[in-house]
Amino acid sequence: MRYSTIVLVLSLLFAVASCAAEDTRDRLAYQECELHIEAVFSVDGEEVPATLTLKAPEYDESGRMLARDAMLTFGEGSIISGVGFEFSGGCAYVSSGDMKIPIENEDMVKGISDMISLFCISKEFYYSSEQVTEGGIDCERLVYINGDDKVEVTVDLSCMLPTSILANVGGREISAKIKMIKAV
């Protein structure tokens, strides 16, 4: 009798502890890794396939994420197929093959940096979440709101990686339909 009571109490404690642990999972933990992404990006309705590599983030003394080194290369079917945009050490470059040209005017790459920013979401603006199923996969749709800006991230719960991101930021609609993502 004592044994079964102890087993029952331990089982209940384990169930409560595992549920509590599940609720505290960081849904954006993938952002702390180096990311390799193949996606169809869209800026204001114009779609383009691209490959994005983002280095792991670095932080300043106050804990604010610094600009991440990144490489975005446009895929086949794009008018500028094979052309890449590199962000390194706070500078932007356009590159193709062995050619690498610095870009002085940051406004010229605003759309590119907007696409990269889809993978740099601030946790402090969490608003809500809901369980959804996409293509038979259990997912969670997370919403982050900062003033008029809104981001929706759909995360595959089996691997905790995003399947899509949709943002309305500064009056622009930016999205990524992720075909492949790998966190290193």
Side-chain angles (χ1 to χ4, degrees):
M1 179 77 153
R2 273 189 189 162
Y3 177 74
S4 59
T5 304
I6 291 172
V7 169
L8 179 62
V9 170
L10 288 175
S11 296
L12 288 172
L13 286 174
F14 179 71
V16 169
S18 66
C19 289
E22 185 174 329
D23 290 340
T24 61
R25 285 190 291 183
D26 182 359
R27 303 301 199 252
L28 298 176
Y30 65 88
Q31 293 186 139
E32 297 301 318
C33 302
E34 180 174 320
L35 298 173
H36 301 280
I37 304 148
E38 290 179 18
V40 175
F41 290 90
S42 174
V43 177
D44 295 329
E46 301 237 3
E47 289 188 345
V48 60
T51 302
L52 173 63
T53 299
L54 270 173
K55 296 294 180 185
E58 295 179 17
Y59 298 89
D60 66 12
E61 304 81 39
S62 64
R64 197 179 79 207
M65 184 187 290
L66 302 173
R68 294 171 79 172
D69 288 352
M71 179 66 164
L72 181 83
T73 306
F74 291 101
E76 291 186 29
S78 164
I79 193 165
I80 54 175
S81 177
V83 173
F85 291 87
E86 183 177 340
F87 294 81
S88 179
C91 297
Y93 304 90
V94 64
S95 62
S96 181
D98 293 334
M99 181 178 64
K100 185 173 170 181
I101 303 168
I103 299 172
E104 299 297 325
N105 184 349
E106 290 184 22
D107 289 338
M108 292 180 64
V109 292
K110 180 72 175 129
I112 305 300
S113 58
D114 287 345
M115 288 190 282
I116 293 169
S117 71
L118 289 174
F119 297 90
C120 304
I121 301 165
S122 177
K123 299 171 193 172
E124 70 184 88
F125 299 112
Y126 173 79
Y127 180 74
S128 67
S129 66
E130 66 176 321
Q131 300 291 319
V132 295
T133 302
E134 288 190 354
I137 299 171
D138 290 333
C139 298
E140 185 171 14
R141 183 167 297 125
L142 308 161
V143 178
Y144 297 84
I145 296 177
N146 180 14
D148 292 333
D149 298 340
K150 177 181 175 182
V151 179
E152 291 182 17
V153 182
T154 303
V155 176
D156 179 340
L157 293 174
S158 68
C159 60
M160 299 307 292
L161 293 171
T163 60
S164 67
I165 302 173
L166 172 64
N168 289 298
V169 179
R172 300 181 86 178
E173 184 175 291
I174 308 154
S175 68
K177 296 176 194 163
I178 300 166
K179 294 179 179 181
M180 186 281 300
I181 183 167
K182 183 170 78 170
V184 181

